Amino acid sequence: MFFKRKNINPDFEKRAAGIDDSVSEKAVAVEEVAAEEVASAVDEQEQIKSRAVEEARRQLEQDLEVKHYFHKKLLETVDLGLLSSLDEDTAKRELHEAIQTLMNDDNEHPLSHEGRKRVLAQIEDEVFGLGPLEPLLKDTTVSDILVNGPKSVYVERRGKLEKTPYTFLDDRHLRNIIDRIVSLVGRRIDEASPMVDARLQDGSRVNAIIPPLAIDGASVSIRRFAVDRLTMDNLLELDSVSPQMAKFINGAVRGELNILISGGTGSGKTTTLNIFSGFIPSNERIITIEDSAELQLQQPHVIRLETRPANLEGKGEITQRELVKNSLRMRPDRIVVGEVRGSEAVDMLSAMNTGMMVLWRRFTQTRLEMR
């Protein structure tokens, strides 16, 4: 049996449709108000954050101005060269007393107790550290420090470049810091040799270039390394590699296969090389060869070799090729070459033909460059 649907009153249908439209409009209005409130709250938070950052920047600029003033006064009144003959604790104590005396005698730059502590720490960085670079080196969120002259210092945080309020006093101040960096690794930089690769004590890679090659003033680039080394377990947790790939890499390294790692600037070649080296057994003798030592192998039996530039007379240069040749006479189980860019590749291939396991790194931008 079939039943025919009765027609509904048209007026009722219109009223029902009107009610539905009204409810929908109210719901949309509520959503719009909620969205506006959320956006307003986010904007307010951003404004608060921006004001805090700006206030910190302004405070830092004031501190730097006062620091430059007292640093100049310190250089005029104290022979800082004498501090080098003292042990570190005694030297710092003498420095603190000299600065406190200058601050007490000065009436033009009143400072609070906290302000004095900040300025004192900054002057201590100038005398014993790397000056304006020290706070940036202590900042774990900074991956690169880029100095474009004495008044322009940039950093990279989370993949984005940003300008910092830190500055050097003048070109001479910047050059003194560069000289301090390169002297720690026995290298030099001057008009005869106006560019240099060096490293900091924490392993950070440094490149410096000065006039006449750098037209607008000395430039420094510092590539920092993470305090906590990445491991294959970290890559697995981040889904950067599959378990099958990790197993393959483990087998390739332990099986003493020759491995070449290539990539462009900042692509992670050194990080990858460090991760791969973690699979090398701890009972093997490893020799590393680099222009500037930056590999962080954790095995106990590691011999680290580093190239040497020529001296003032143009003599005494030791290249990677010579070190590769010499390493073959040092009874290595593994040879790890930091970066291959020249004729040392021939000796690398010769080492491979002798059955030596070689792990090496090469700069390339495309796969075609590997041919």
Side-chain angles (χ1 to χ4, degrees):
M1 181 180 292
F2 297 94
F3 295 93
K4 184 178 180 181
R5 180 177 178 270
K6 292 183 179 181
N7 292 330
I8 298 176
N9 189 339
D11 294 335
F12 176 78
E13 289 184 343
K14 291 180 181 180
R15 288 196 299 271
I19 292 173
D20 291 340
D21 292 341
S22 176
V23 171
S24 298
E25 291 174 359
K26 289 181 179 179
V28 171
V30 170
E31 291 178 357
E32 290 178 351
V33 171
E36 290 177 359
E37 291 178 352
V38 171
S40 176
V42 171
D43 290 341
E44 185 177 354
Q45 291 177 355
E46 289 295 331
Q47 291 176 5
I48 294 173
K49 182 179 178 181
S50 178
R51 285 195 296 268
V53 171
E54 187 60 32
E55 180 64 27
R57 182 183 295 271
R58 188 161 51 249
Q59 180 65 57
L60 178 59
E61 289 174 349
Q62 292 175 358
D63 288 347
L64 289 176
E65 182 179 350
V66 175
K67 185 262 293 186
H68 289 323
Y69 171 79
F70 282 112
H71 189 213
K72 280 185 177 180
K73 297 286 289 183
L74 188 68
L75 294 175
E76 294 171 359
T77 58
V78 178
D79 185 3
L80 297 181
L82 296 176
L83 296 178
S84 60
S85 61
L86 305 174
D87 63 88
E88 185 175 349
D89 292 336
T90 304
K92 287 185 178 181
R93 186 169 59 252
E94 294 288 339
L95 178 68
H96 289 184
E97 292 176 358
I99 298 173
Q100 291 289 357
T101 301
L102 291 175
M103 289 180 174
N104 293 333
D105 295 341
D106 182 82
N107 297 320
E108 299 179 4
H109 300 83
L111 291 170
S112 65
H113 178 68
E114 290 298 322
R116 288 193 173 203
K117 288 175 62 178
R118 289 195 301 268
V119 172
L120 188 60
Q122 291 170 2
I123 296 177
E124 186 177 305
D125 289 339
E126 289 288 348
V127 177
F128 299 105
L130 300 180
L133 300 180
E134 281 293 332
L136 301 176
L137 291 169
K138 295 173 183 175
D139 188 344
T140 57
T141 64
V142 172
S143 58
D144 284 270
I145 302 173
L146 308 171
V147 181
N148 308 327
K151 302 300 181 182
S152 179
V153 180
Y154 284 80
V155 297
E156 180 181 319
R157 284 190 177 95
R158 302 176 185 89
K160 293 184 178 181
L161 288 176
E162 58 183 70
K163 190 172 183 178
T164 73
Y166 294 96
T167 60
F168 294 84
L169 190 60
D170 48 30
D171 287 317
R172 182 180 178 182
H173 183 199
L174 176 55
R175 284 292 302 275
N176 287 339
I177 297 298
I178 294 174
D179 290 338
R180 192 176 300 176
I181 292 173
V182 301
S183 64
L184 293 175
V185 291
R187 301 197 175 187
R188 63 183 180 85
I189 184 168
D190 49 39
E191 290 188 1
S193 179
M195 55 184 178
V196 66
D197 288 319
R199 68 180 184 278
L200 302 180
Q201 292 181 349
D202 64 355
S204 297
R205 185 170 59 213
V206 181
N207 175 269
I209 184 167
I210 62 174
L213 299 186
I215 299 174
D216 298 322
S219 174
V220 181
S221 304
I222 301 176
R223 169 65 58 84
R224 300 193 57 213
F225 293 102
V227 177
D228 299 324
R229 293 176 63 249
L230 282 175
T231 64
M232 187 59 71
D233 291 336
N234 298 132
L235 299 186
L236 290 170
E237 291 174 2
L238 298 170
D239 290 332
S240 297
V241 297
S242 65
Q244 294 80 7
M245 179 59 71
K247 187 176 181 180
F248 170 79
I249 294 171
N250 185 6
V253 175
R254 290 184 177 275
E256 300 186 359
L257 299 181
N258 297 310
I259 300 175
L260 168 63
I261 299 170
S262 66
T265 301
S267 59
K269 299 184 297 295
T270 303
T271 301
T272 303
L273 190 55
N274 280 322
I275 292 173
F276 281 23
S277 68
F279 293 120
I280 299 176
S282 60
N283 61 345
E284 295 188 0
R285 178 178 170 86
I286 307 168
I287 297 178
T288 67
I289 300 171
E290 302 174 82
D291 275 336
S292 180
E294 57 190 28
L295 295 175
Q296 299 172 316
L297 275 65
Q298 302 301 306
Q299 288 78 1
H301 200 165
V302 178
I303 309 299
R304 304 169 69 202
L305 305 181
E306 188 177 58
T307 61
R308 186 179 70 185
N311 58 20
L312 288 171
E313 291 77 27
K315 299 178 181 179
E317 180 183 14
I318 304 295
T319 64
Q320 279 201 55
R321 184 169 192 178
E322 293 172 291
L323 292 179
V324 170
K325 288 180 179 178
N326 188 78
S327 68
L328 296 175
R329 306 184 184 99
M330 297 174 66
R331 200 267 175 209
D333 291 311
R334 314 263 183 157
I335 299 175
V336 181
V337 181
E339 190 163 2
V340 177
R341 294 190 298 265
S343 58
E344 63 270 10
V346 175
D347 298 285
M348 297 284 295
L349 295 174
S350 299
M352 292 179 185
N353 289 333
T354 65
M356 184 65 57
M357 186 276 173
V358 181
L359 185 60
W360 49 314
R361 179 170 70 98
R362 182 183 178 213
F363 170 82
T364 57
Q365 291 288 11
T366 66
R367 286 178 293 176
L368 295 177
E369 295 181 30
M370 295 302 298
R371 295 181 178 179

